[in-house]
Amino acid sequence: MGARRVKITFLIHNVYGIGGTIRTTLNLAAALADRHEVTIVSMLRQRARPRFAVDPRVRIVPLVDLREGSADTADPLLGRPAEVFPAAEKRYRQYSRLTDRRAEEYLRACDADVIIGTRPGVNVYLARFGPPGALRIAQEHLTHDTHSRKLLGSLARHYRALDAVVTTTEADAAVYRAKMRLPGVRVLAVPNGVPDPGLPPADLSAKVVAAAGRLVRGKRFDLLIEAFEEVAAKQPDWSLRIYGAGAEKERLQQSIDGRGLAGQVRLMGTRSPIEPEFAQASIVVSASEAESFGMTLVEAMRCGVPVVSTDCPLGPAEIIRHGVDGLLVPVGDREALTAALLELITDEPARRRMGEAARAAARRFDPAPVARSYDDLFAELAGSRRSRAWQRGLGSARGRLGSVRGRLGSVRGRLGRVLRGAGR
């Protein structure tokens, strides 16, 4: 299948918004469109056009139109809670019986050779309604251990019907293999593709540190601001620019003002694309508690900018080679974060050396080889259908046998208690 032209459909939450999953899906779709017919199905639509550029060869199909005045907003099913989309999924409140119905109608009639879901709840739609003749692949842009126990129970039941689960890091793939029993389902890691921004490499002379991401607690911009307070005291001509939007904006601004850093730390709002902003910096930093991949790190490296990141689960250690193209520091360690920033600020030759190494290393995330990895996966899955179906059947039989043994053990236990009671 990988060598011939096929029809590929991506299922995404909302291609009209802003986010890492949207960017990576569009990057991969464009790379696959060199050889295949590609469609992106967006569960929701809230604006006329996507915020990110879409390759003209890629078709966009929205399922539920939430724009004011659309016919869908008057559909009574829109006000009824979803029954198929898992309630434990973080986006559950944005789904409805209308979303359930549209997803089912689309998937049951879909003639794609390959269908790829891009978030847990959407992957459940794929498992429930995807045509059995298509290869059904679940991408995990989050991580196994960030899902609740309830959601993982739902995913374990539904993912068994799929052909593959693809994570963004080897570490997360290993967790899925160890913790989620999926006989006949290929579990593997394929990194996100990040295209060359087409910019000259940063000259690394600007006295600017940049960071980007959603302004939420898990990204630990509060810790970054604390760390930069000491940096600013020792290097008053350096500044920190934070790009993004989110619920923590007001609290972060209060921290900046309270520390007297208003002249050196600025909340810049969102920028798309972000690479031109990174190219104007000399260091890019991430203080996150957890990352499923680390898109901003790769985007910075593609601009020839060295990165400082917490060594958080699961992505940064698979992107950054400590001391070669960036620096890794322990999660939550303000002093280590401060020291790493000061190291790159004060050692210009090291900064330039790491920036050059970062630009070279980031080429491994080109969308073209990532797309070829998917082509190889399609061919492998198509060729192993029969053997994987046998593995799935064997696994199901073992599961039923284990269930029977469990019930027998329960009966024996009750019978033993009855006999012991009768002998008293």
Side-chain angles (χ1 to χ4, degrees), residues 44-249:
L44 304 176
R45 178 184 194 175
Q46 90 288 9
R47 63 195 316 270
R49 290 180 297 276
R51 294 180 183 272
F52 293 125
V54 179
D55 189 295
R57 300 169 299 175
V58 176
R59 186 167 67 111
I60 303 293
V61 177
L63 295 188
V64 175
D65 192 343
L66 300 178
R67 292 177 294 172
E68 186 177 355
S70 77
D72 288 347
T73 59
D75 193 311
L77 291 180
L78 187 63
R80 293 171 55 188
E83 295 177 0
V84 179
F85 194 90
E89 228 265 32
K90 292 180 180 179
R91 297 284 187 179
Y92 176 72
R93 292 184 181 276
Q94 296 177 254
Y95 283 74
S96 65
R97 281 294 297 130
L98 183 59
T99 329
D100 287 351
R101 175 176 289 184
R102 293 282 171 79
E104 180 177 6
E105 290 172 348
Y106 183 88
L107 285 168
R108 292 205 186 282
C110 185
D111 65 348
D113 301 291
V114 180
I115 308 176
I116 302 172
T118 59
R119 71 169 298 116
V122 173
N123 294 336
V124 170
Y125 281 154
L126 177 57
R128 286 283 299 273
F129 307 131
L135 294 177
R136 295 178 288 179
I137 299 171
Q139 286 182 343
E140 276 287 351
H141 291 276
L142 301 173
T143 64
H144 179 282
D145 289 349
T146 58
H147 298 323
S148 69
R149 183 174 296 181
K150 184 177 180 181
L151 179 58
L152 287 171
S154 176
L155 299 183
R157 291 193 302 274
H158 289 100
Y159 280 12
R160 289 170 188 155
L162 301 175
D163 293 284
V165 174
V166 180
T167 66
T168 58
T169 65
E170 292 289 350
D172 199 33
V175 174
Y176 269 92
R177 294 186 197 109
K179 296 186 177 181
M180 190 176 288
R181 186 171 169 274
L182 300 171
V185 180
R186 179 86 158 87
V187 179
L188 72 158
V190 179
N192 289 330
V194 180
D196 187 330
L199 300 170
D203 66 16
L204 304 183
S205 62
K207 296 182 177 182
V208 174
V209 177
R214 290 178 297 116
L215 304 185
V216 295
R217 289 184 183 272
K219 297 295 185 181
R220 294 307 311 270
F221 288 113
D222 58 332
L223 181 72
L224 175 57
I225 292 167
E226 290 177 22
F228 200 79
E229 183 177 15
E230 186 174 341
V231 172
K234 295 181 177 180
Q235 299 289 333
D237 49 348
W238 279 73
S239 64
L240 170 64
R241 299 173 183 173
I242 299 174
Y243 297 91
E248 292 289 290
K249 180 180 179 180

Side-chain angles (χ1 to χ4, degrees), residues 7-37:
K7 292 182 178 180
I8 301 170
T9 292
F10 288 89
L11 308 176
I12 196 168
H13 167 64
N14 185 351
V15 78
Y16 298 87
I18 291 178
T21 299
I22 301 169
R23 293 203 311 276
T24 58
T25 300
L26 291 171
N27 290 342
L28 178 56
L32 288 169
D34 288 341
R35 297 178 297 283
H36 305 298
E37 181 181 329

